[in-house]
Amino acid sequence: MSFPGSGLAKGLAVTLRTMTKRSVTAQYPDVQPDLPPRSRGVIGLFEENCTVCMLCARECPDWCIYIDSHKETVPPAAPGGRERSRNVLDRFAIDFALCMYCGICIEVCPFDALFWSPEFEYAETDIRELTHERDKLREWMWTVPEPPALDPKAEEPKEIAAARKAADKLAAQQAAEAEAEAAAQDAEAPAQDRDRERPETPGEGT
């Protein structure tokens, strides 16, 4: 059974307990917050990896990704080959006024062209300025943190293993070509020495 004024007494008790504790207020923006490694701030674009597959734009539930491209003809890499066509990126923009930061575009990108950046200070006074074109998205890439280190006992990623295998194969091929060229030069040297040492016969050189 409560007595008159018990609620006031409880409120004062809470106030007194709070007054004796240290303040945990972060004085933003003077003190920047300590964000977790996987914070979702803004999306950065690594343009070199983008193949204009349009998968991110199709899967975006807010339809806030705008992509324009055109096709160019690539000449054959070897004589007798055929020409190929490739997509060239003209525009890549994200409207952060519509984006709900679900991260689907980053998850579905098969070529690692989109990344999360922890930067969150990009408020604008004009809502139209929240549409970031590819130049602005490229600038956000410099703020993307490095991926966490792998477990020392973890299996090597398939991409790195394939790249290392290709590099080792190319290095072995170059070494074999260098040895063959050196052997050819060594074989030509004695023949040139014999030509220099061979005495001239009468009438030779006239």
Side-chain angles (χ1 to χ4, degrees):
M1 181 176 180
S2 61
F3 56 90
S6 60
L8 178 61
K10 291 180 181 179
L12 291 175
V14 173
T15 302
L16 291 174
R17 286 198 305 268
T18 305
M19 289 176 60
T20 58
K21 293 182 179 179
R22 183 179 179 181
S23 176
V24 293
T25 303
Q27 300 300 324
Y28 177 83
D30 296 330
V31 178
Q32 291 293 323
D34 187 13
L35 300 175
R38 300 182 66 181
S39 297
R40 297 186 177 187
V42 71
I43 298 173
L45 170 67
F46 190 50
E47 188 176 334
E48 287 76 5
N49 284 358
C50 181
T51 62
V52 200
C53 65
M54 304 293 292
L55 192 58
C56 57
R58 290 198 301 266
E59 296 296 331
C60 177
D62 290 333
W63 293 88
C64 64
I65 301 177
Y66 313 113
I67 301 176
D68 293 329
S69 65
H70 69 277
K71 289 186 177 293
E72 285 187 357
T73 302
V74 180
R82 65 174 183 176
E83 296 181 345
R84 296 180 295 108
S85 63
R86 66 183 179 95
N87 292 322
V88 179
L89 184 66
D90 293 328
R91 185 194 183 202
F92 195 110
I94 299 178
D95 187 356
F96 287 100
L98 297 176
C99 178
M100 65 179 184
Y101 305 91
C102 63
I104 293 178
C105 57
I106 297 176
E107 296 295 332
V108 301
C109 180
F111 301 105
D112 291 334
L114 297 173
F115 296 87
W116 277 119
S117 166
E119 295 295 324
F120 61 92
E121 298 176 315
Y122 52 93
E124 301 288 348
T125 56
D126 189 348
I127 193 173
R128 291 172 295 184
E129 298 297 328
L130 285 174
T131 300
H132 294 183
E133 299 292 336
R134 64 177 184 175
D135 295 336
K136 184 66 174 179
L137 296 175
R138 178 60 180 265
E139 293 179 5
W140 291 122
M141 275 300 302
W142 300 110
T143 63
V144 174
E146 295 184 0
L150 297 176
D151 188 342
K153 297 182 180 180
E155 182 180 355
E156 186 179 40
K158 296 180 180 179
E159 295 83 357
I160 297 178
R164 180 176 289 108
K165 184 178 180 180
D168 294 343
K169 183 178 179 180
L170 180 60
Q173 183 179 357
Q174 292 176 348
E177 292 176 355
E179 291 179 359
E181 184 177 355
Q185 291 178 355
D186 293 342
E188 291 177 359
Q192 294 176 354
D193 294 340
R194 287 195 301 268
D195 292 341
R196 286 195 297 267
E197 295 174 358
R198 183 168 59 88
E200 295 184 359
T201 58
E204 188 177 30
T206 59

